[in-house]
Amino acid sequence: MKKILVTGGAGYIGSHTVVELVEAGYEPIIVDNFSNSEESALEGIAAIVGRNVTCHRVDCTDSKALREVFEKEQDIVGVIHFAANKAVGESVENPLKYYHNNVGSLVALLQVMEEFKVNKLVFSSSCTVYGVPESLPVTEETPVQKANSPYGNTKKICEEILTDVAASGSTLKSIALRYFNPIGAHPSAKIGELPLGVPSNLVPFITQTAIGMREQLTIFGNDYDTPDGTNIRDYVHVVDLAKAHVVAVERLLEEKGESLEFFNIGTGNGTTVLEAVKAFESATGVKLNYKIGPRRAGDVPKIYADVAKATEALGFKTTSTLEEAMKSAWDWQVSLKESTAKV
């Protein structure tokens, strides 16, 4: 089996991608320092795929430790790089942490990859690089704008690093996947989103409110220029997103495409926050306690993807509905409560 190194492989999107890699016949090798993830994710992965997956506890800014992984795991053919801090608010409060970790880890990884002649990389990027777009839906040709946060800026800088490496004549072939809003969990309810502390994303806050961990959900603003006044986002099921990484790896290994390519990964549909709440209630039968609050600083009013390029070049389309994603997120939240109750 072909070995794919997955940095941040115990995280939310990383763990789901590890499962999809195994099911596609690859041998994922996880690298994670567990600063933003839990080791229980490894147990969940093993329960789904029927075996343990190799994991190295390594910080990706540590070139020496990364080098040791490459030396030990012979014949790595490609890398998927998820490892990064991802909370917008925290990045505003502690920008140096984000630049050190998110940018520094990519630089260290690229240097070690070059040393070991591994030249296939899938990079975890974000639709935050589009800022507040002038027109919708956004395509890969939509101008990249000044970031709204240090987190968003790290993704923009990392894309620029990959662009410069590609222009340098390097043998590196890379694909940057610009995610929209990942939600949901594996249908087995054995892995899912596990935010540390108060969630900064909508869906885990919905599920935690529904199960009684949070008193109430606040929807930030209902006076935007949208059908019901609430923000519009493109919510993509995390399992669909994970599968996109597998097809991106396959494209790289088949030597297709340019030295650097960008792809939007979303559903192509815009959904308001209120529509997302109603979808959760419809999918689960659980009524949600929510209120309307003031707008939140830095929120983009509306954004959703044009996914034609991913469909044509990667042969990739999402298959899960919003309701299916919401139901899987709820099943995961219930399973967490049940497992905690057993302890």
Side-chain angles (χ1 to χ4, degrees):
M1 289 191 291
K2 294 176 179 176
K3 287 184 180 180
I4 305 295
L5 191 76
V6 185
T7 73
Y12 175 41
I13 304 170
S15 60
H16 288 81
T17 300
V18 165
V19 167
E20 295 303 320
L21 285 167
V22 172
E23 294 184 351
Y26 293 95
E27 183 180 351
I29 307 296
I30 296 172
V31 166
D32 206 303
N33 68 355
F34 296 97
S35 64
N36 200 31
S37 57
E38 298 283 352
E39 290 191 56
S40 59
L42 301 179
E43 298 170 12
I45 292 168
I48 295 168
V49 303
R51 65 175 178 83
N52 291 329
V53 173
T54 300
C55 178
H56 298 273
R57 184 184 284 270
V58 164
D59 187 314
C60 288
T61 62
D62 186 341
S63 299
K64 181 176 181 291
L66 272 179
R67 192 172 292 111
E68 289 171 356
V69 173
F70 276 78
E71 287 172 346
K72 184 172 183 178
E73 301 290 348
Q74 295 294 314
D75 304 320
I76 292 170
V77 298
V79 178
I80 303 177
H81 184 44
F82 292 109
N85 294 114
K86 61 179 183 178
V88 170
E90 184 190 39
S91 77
V92 174
E93 296 166 2
N94 194 351
L96 293 181
K97 173 182 177 180
Y98 275 67
Y99 288 112
H100 170 76
N101 190 50
N102 295 10
V103 178
S105 65
L106 177 63
V107 172
L109 177 64
L110 290 173
Q111 289 171 332
V112 175
M113 286 176 64
E114 184 177 54
E115 184 179 332
F116 285 85
K117 297 181 170 52
V118 178
N119 63 352
K120 306 289 190 295
L121 174 71
V122 179
F123 175 68
S124 168
S125 193
S126 167
C127 67
T128 58
V129 300
Y130 297 120
V132 180
E134 294 181 2
S135 61
L136 293 170
V138 293
T139 74
E140 290 80 359
E141 303 305 314
T142 296
V144 170
Q145 298 194 35
K146 177 176 171 56
N148 283 357
S149 68
Y151 163 74
N153 203 33
T154 64
K155 293 299 182 182
K156 181 171 175 281
I157 291 169
C158 286
E159 286 195 0
E160 290 170 347
I161 290 170
L162 293 176
T163 300
D164 289 343
V165 172
S168 73
S170 165
T171 62
L172 181 73
K173 286 181 70 72
S174 53
I175 290 176
L177 299 182
R178 291 170 173 168
Y179 314 156
F180 281 69
N181 289 71
I183 62 171
H186 194 270
S188 67
K190 295 187 184 300
I191 55 174
E193 190 166 7
L194 195 60
L196 304 180
V198 179
S200 58
N201 294 335
L202 174 65
V203 174
F205 212 110
I206 286 176
T207 60
Q208 289 188 8
T209 302
I211 210 161
M213 290 175 62
R214 309 286 167 195
E215 183 179 346
Q216 191 174 51
L217 169 72
T218 299
I219 294 174
F220 298 107
N222 66 344
D223 57 349
Y224 289 98
D225 181 20
T226 64
D228 60 27
T230 62
N231 298 95
I232 287 178
R233 295 292 182 267
D234 188 337
Y235 297 103
V236 55
H237 197 305
V238 67
V239 174
D240 281 332
L241 179 55
K243 290 176 179 175
H245 290 80
V246 178
V247 296
V249 165
E250 290 170 348
R251 181 173 177 83
L252 290 172
L253 294 180
E254 291 168 3
E255 298 288 347
K256 293 180 179 177
E258 305 297 323
S259 57
L260 172 60
E261 296 181 301
F262 300 94
F263 292 100
N264 289 336
I265 304 296
T267 65
N269 299 312
T271 300
T272 70
V273 173
L274 271 177
E275 287 171 339
V277 167
K278 298 304 180 187
F280 173 82
E281 293 180 331
S282 173
T284 64
V286 179
K287 294 296 289 182
L288 198 65
N289 181 26
Y290 67 89
K291 68 175 182 178
I292 304 298
R295 291 188 182 192
R296 184 171 57 181
D299 274 349
V300 174
K302 47 189 172 181
I303 188 168
Y304 57 96
D306 181 311
V307 295
K309 185 178 178 184
T311 302
E312 293 164 11
L314 297 177
F316 171 78
K317 289 193 76 170
T318 58
T319 60
S320 300
T321 66
L322 179 60
E323 286 74 15
E324 287 169 339
M326 289 295 187
K327 180 63 166 60
S328 69
W330 177 240
D331 290 344
W332 163 244
Q333 186 70 68
V334 170
S335 76
L336 282 177
K337 183 175 183 179
E338 290 173 348
S339 63
T340 303
K342 291 175 184 176
V343 175

